[in-house]
Amino acid sequence: MTVNKIDALLALRSEGRFLVGRDRIKLLEAVAEYGSITKAAKVVGFSYKTAWDAVNAINNLLPSPAFVTKAGGRSGGGAEVTAEGRRLIATFHRLEERLSRISSLIAEEGLEDQDDFLLWSVGVKISARNMFQTEVVSVKKWPVDVEVTLRVSPETSIHAIVTNDSAVELGLEPGRKTLALIKSSFVHLTTPEHTPPGVRNQFVGVVRRRIDAERNSEVLLDIGAGKTMHAVVPRQTAEDLGLTEGERAVASFNPTDVILAVD
């Protein structure tokens, strides 16, 4: 029996921005080998500017630099990969190997309704409680940012605002499958009678569960079409709003608080 090979590409992101993929790892490895950004760029097929943009982006998103320059020497200086950079390389290869094993299993055994899955959890824990699989409906580009409308269900849409760079990196266009994540602490709750005007993301629902702690309350809201939304609000707010099971409430959040992820 012939088994089709699935080439799974790993891309790491930080706060919604592309951090590193296979090409950038190859660049770092070439810098480590040749001690020169110019030689490394030539080896991996990057332009000099693209290579510098890549290593600068990595440095900006890591706690400490993965790449540093060295002054002096007969060649006028050089570059080197730091211990943080070498850890990034090693970690990437470990994750890529794990992803490759999973891809091989999928190729051998198949995955029923695989088009319905956007994110396969490979031992990764996500802090955002609200996670919706969506489809991009429209993309409006402005000078600084991009407004994206995402369809959650035939009756429900989410509006997100991302930077122009993020929209390009994520390949956001109508029909694109996208995962939308919203932290529960970003979700505001009100009663239907006190719904604030002009809020783009508003969802009327019914309280299904409320768990109280000393200071905060976690509220689970049924927003219809089989979708639910978690919100964490001050306990006093939950008391003042009368958020008890069976009562109607309105959940809302800012478009800038939506995190987007793609496969």
Side-chain angles (χ1 to χ4, degrees):
M1 180 182 66
T2 301
V3 177
N4 294 325
K5 184 178 184 297
I6 297 177
D7 186 19
L9 297 178
L10 176 66
L12 304 181
R13 297 180 183 273
S14 177
E15 298 180 351
R17 296 186 60 188
F18 178 75
L19 172 60
V20 64
R22 188 177 294 171
D23 289 343
R24 288 185 176 180
I25 289 296
K26 288 181 178 178
L27 177 65
L28 285 179
E29 290 175 329
V31 171
E33 180 178 357
Y34 295 100
S36 165
I37 187 70
T38 302
K39 291 181 180 178
K42 186 175 181 179
V43 167
V44 300
F46 279 12
S47 70
Y48 185 72
K49 181 182 182 302
T50 300
W52 269 106
D53 287 345
V55 294
N56 285 335
I58 294 172
N59 281 350
N60 287 341
L61 293 173
L62 287 178
S64 60
F67 166 93
V68 294
T69 56
K70 299 185 296 181
R74 288 184 300 176
S75 61
E80 67 178 6
V81 175
T82 65
E84 182 78 359
R86 294 180 186 277
R87 281 194 293 270
L88 175 62
I89 292 171
T91 299
F92 184 90
H93 284 312
R94 284 199 301 270
L95 290 173
E96 195 172 47
E97 182 183 357
R98 183 182 300 178
L99 184 60
S100 178
R101 290 199 300 268
I102 293 175
S103 300
S104 296
L105 288 175
I106 293 171
E108 293 172 4
E109 301 177 7
L111 182 62
E112 185 179 358
D113 298 326
Q114 63 187 42
D115 290 339
D116 293 337
F117 290 88
L118 176 64
L119 181 68
W120 297 325
S121 176
V122 191
V124 177
K125 295 182 179 180
I126 299 174
S127 62
R129 295 295 306 276
N130 298 301
M131 185 164 55
F132 302 97
Q133 189 166 203
T134 71
E135 180 178 341
V136 176
V137 176
S138 66
V139 178
K140 294 182 180 179
K141 296 184 179 181
W142 306 105
V144 176
D145 48 34
V146 174
E147 182 179 349
V148 185
T149 301
L150 307 155
R151 181 185 295 114
V152 179
S153 68
E155 303 81 21
T156 306
S157 295
I158 289 177
H159 299 279
I161 292 179
V162 299
T163 65
N164 278 282
D165 287 344
S166 293
V168 172
E169 290 177 355
L170 296 175
L172 298 179
E173 58 184 20
R176 183 79 153 104
K177 299 293 185 181
T178 308
L179 200 67
L181 304 100
I182 308 97
K183 294 187 66 173
S184 55
S185 57
F186 292 163
V187 178
H188 306 282
L189 294 179
T190 60
T191 59
E193 297 78 21
H194 298 90
T195 301
V199 178
R200 300 299 305 276
N201 294 309
Q202 288 190 353
F203 304 89
V204 180
V206 177
V207 176
R208 291 305 182 203
R209 186 178 70 238
R210 171 178 156 187
I211 301 175
D212 293 326
E214 182 178 355
R215 296 185 178 180
N216 295 324
S217 295
E218 182 184 32
V219 180
L220 177 65
L221 198 66
D222 182 348
I223 60 174
K227 308 296 182 183
T228 58
M229 186 166 294
H230 290 264
V232 174
V233 299
R235 182 170 179 175
Q236 189 59 53
T237 298
E239 295 286 353
D240 293 343
L241 294 175
L243 298 178
T244 56
E245 291 186 12
E247 293 294 324
R248 284 162 54 84
V250 178
S252 63
F253 50 88
N254 294 324
T256 53
D257 288 336
V258 181
I259 300 171
L260 301 182
V262 299
D263 57 350

